[in-house]
């Protein structure tokens, strides 16, 4: 059975870029998403990196973006070069 993640690791710069592209101030987006302006500010500057599913979903809806658009990209381990 598939369980939703307990938290989402968010990308600070993606949140900021999407907010600015939408023409919203921090306080406006926070109000639309039902989170505090301070919490949103912490997310945008990278002080907070994880969000619970409810607030994350509301933030995505307030910005009009897909759920994957604000996530931190998975880290790709460096490939080992084979020297010959």
């Amino acid at each position: 059975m598939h369980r939703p993640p307990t938290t989402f690791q968010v990308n600070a710069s993606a949140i900021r870029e999407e907010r600015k592209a939408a023409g919203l101030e921090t306080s406006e987006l926070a109000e639309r998403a039902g989170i505090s302006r301070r919490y949103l500010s912490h997310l945008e500057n990278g002080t907070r990196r994880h969000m619970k599913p409810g607030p994350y979903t509301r933030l995505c809806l307030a910005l009009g973006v897909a759920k994957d658009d604000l996530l931190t990209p998975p880290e790709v381990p460096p490939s080992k070069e084979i020297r010959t």
Side-chain angles (χ1 to χ4, degrees), residues 11-51:
N11 182 330
S13 60
I15 295 171
R16 187 179 315 102
E17 288 172 16
E18 290 293 343
R19 176 182 60 78
K20 288 182 177 185
L24 297 171
E25 295 293 326
T26 307
S27 57
E28 292 173 302
L29 177 57
E31 184 176 329
R32 289 182 185 191
I35 60 177
S36 72
R37 186 207 55 79
R38 183 175 177 176
Y39 180 51
L40 179 57
S41 179
H42 285 284
L43 292 167
E44 285 190 359
N45 69 30
T47 304
R48 298 286 305 260
R49 294 188 181 117
H50 296 275
M51 293 184 77

Side-chain angles (χ1 to χ4, degrees), residues 58-73:
R58 292 192 310 268
L59 181 61
C60 290
L61 289 171
L63 287 170
V65 299
K67 282 195 171 185
D68 294 343
D69 291 350
L70 302 179
L71 297 178
T72 299

